[in-house]
Amino acid sequence: MSEVHEPAIAYGKHQFTIEEYLEMENAATEKHEYYKGEIFAMFGAKLNHNNICMNLSVALKTGLKGKPCKPLGSDMRIHIPGNTLFTYPDLSVFCNGVDTRNNDQMNALNPTVIIEVLSSSTKKYDRGEKFELYKAIPSLSDYILVDSESIQVAAWHRSDSGEWVLAEYNGLDHMLSLPSIDVAIPLAEVYEGVEI
């Protein structure tokens, strides 16, 4: 994901309602996350991050051709009603349509796959607290973390019993498996053109 910084303080107010956040976000020129009344500014990403996102987008689009699933980029905002989070994953995949909050076409509720590309400043958050927040999405089956500074991918898959099972990949000859959408992507494609 893009880098997330300290909460944005607007108009001297420290806590915002969801409605206030959405009104501000819809008028904003930069992206912000929302969690439990706080708003966090997001900033642009480095070259490696952008190359990995583009590579994954192409691979997902190709791998999902003819299937009922659709990849979307980082402009698709995800909302988790159970814990109030509004966020912008680097990539998400939706199967059998995209359900949105109040049919607003802006705040998606039902991703099957979420992919975050890590930087040094986001690794801890994406692996820890953010993953815990994402677990509250009933439709989520695969959560993928792709390191932008080393060849390393962590892929969690929710089993039929509801447990999250981790698979790790760290070689260009490995294949990233996304069981929920029946897609496998060579790490050589994920990291093509990326300088590690």
Side-chain angles (χ1 to χ4, degrees):
M1 68 179 239
S2 300
E3 292 190 30
V4 178
H5 291 266
E6 293 300 313
I9 306 301
Y11 312 113
K13 187 171 183 178
H14 296 277
Q15 292 288 314
F16 297 86
T17 66
I18 287 174
E19 289 71 24
E20 288 171 328
Y21 160 73
L22 290 174
E23 183 179 343
M24 291 170 60
E25 189 68 354
N26 292 340
T29 56
E30 61 183 28
K31 297 177 190 174
H32 300 83
E33 287 191 344
Y34 175 93
Y35 180 58
K36 291 188 175 179
E38 291 187 272
I39 296 174
F40 301 85
M42 300 176 69
F43 296 98
K46 294 180 180 176
L47 184 59
N48 276 0
H49 181 285
N50 283 295
N51 280 332
I52 291 168
C53 286
M54 185 59 68
N55 292 344
L56 284 166
S57 295
V58 170
L60 285 170
K61 188 75 171 172
T62 301
L64 292 171
K65 190 171 183 180
K67 297 180 182 179
C69 299
K70 175 181 186 174
L72 294 174
S74 63
D75 284 335
M76 186 75 252
R77 188 165 57 224
I78 303 292
H79 174 50
I80 308 172
N83 56 40
T84 77
L85 181 68
F86 286 84
T87 187
Y88 296 87
D90 289 312
L91 292 161
S92 48
V93 177
F94 295 82
C95 297
N96 300 309
V98 179
D99 296 332
T100 59
R101 181 179 185 267
N102 301 327
N103 295 315
D104 63 10
Q105 300 296 303
M106 296 181 70
N107 299 288
L109 304 170
N110 63 323
T112 301
V113 177
I114 288 178
I115 300 175
E116 295 283 17
V117 178
L118 305 177
S119 66
S120 56
S121 64
T122 65
K123 282 181 187 180
K124 185 177 177 183
Y125 175 53
D126 286 338
R127 287 181 178 150
E129 183 180 3
K130 195 164 197 182
F131 184 26
E132 291 303 314
L133 296 172
Y134 280 153
K135 287 178 182 178
I137 302 172
S139 61
L140 188 65
S141 294
D142 288 301
Y143 179 54
I144 312 301
L145 298 177
V146 181
D147 200 309
S148 66
E149 299 169 333
S150 64
I151 298 169
Q152 188 172 356
V153 177
W156 278 272
H157 176 71
R158 194 189 317 238
S159 70
D160 292 339
S161 65
E163 292 184 49
W164 288 93
V165 180
L166 173 64
E168 295 183 280
Y169 309 92
N170 56 17
L172 291 178
D173 58 335
H174 291 183
M175 295 280 287
L176 166 60
S177 176
L178 301 167
S180 63
I181 57 173
D182 192 27
V183 169
I185 304 170
L187 259 63
E189 290 185 18
V190 173
Y191 286 98
E192 184 180 357
V194 176
E195 295 185 12
I196 299 296

